[in-house]
Amino acid sequence: MEEKIKRLIEEGNSYTFSNNCYRESHGIYSRPSIAMQAWIGAVEDLILTKYGKDSVPYRLYANFSRSQLDGYYSETFDKQKEIILSALHACL
């Protein structure tokens, strides 16, 4: 289990605003890639299945907002990704 969590953390670190964005005529906006969305789903499934809704990892994960990944602020994107990563670290 620990190895799977470490792999999820490593994968999560690979997602950035730069590789999850698109350009419009009036700016650059983030939108999570299909791979990143699949990663988020895998994290959520792991936390719910192995730890449950009353666990510390889930309470950390519950602060995550998918809608905050769509936008034009890299800081907001990074903050949401950090919430997911902190939930994974709580699983170790």
Side-chain angles (χ1 to χ4, degrees), residues 1-17:
M1 177 60 67
E2 186 175 330
E3 197 56 41
K4 180 177 183 174
I5 294 166
K6 288 180 179 179
R7 281 194 315 271
L8 285 169
I9 289 170
E10 184 178 327
E11 180 180 349
N13 285 325
S14 73
Y15 299 117
T16 65
F17 181 85

Side-chain angles (χ1 to χ4, degrees), residues 50-67:
K50 299 296 181 186
Y51 299 93
K53 287 189 175 187
D54 294 326
S55 67
V56 170
Y58 184 80
R59 287 194 304 267
L60 289 168
Y61 180 81
N63 292 309
F64 167 66
S65 172
R66 288 180 197 269
S67 66

Side-chain angles (χ1 to χ4, degrees), residues 20-44:
N20 282 277
C21 67
Y22 63 100
R23 183 176 300 278
E24 290 286 332
S25 61
H26 51 279
I28 299 173
Y29 299 90
S30 66
R31 180 183 305 143
S33 64
I34 292 171
M36 184 174 186
Q37 291 179 54
W39 171 73
I40 293 167
V43 171
E44 182 176 25

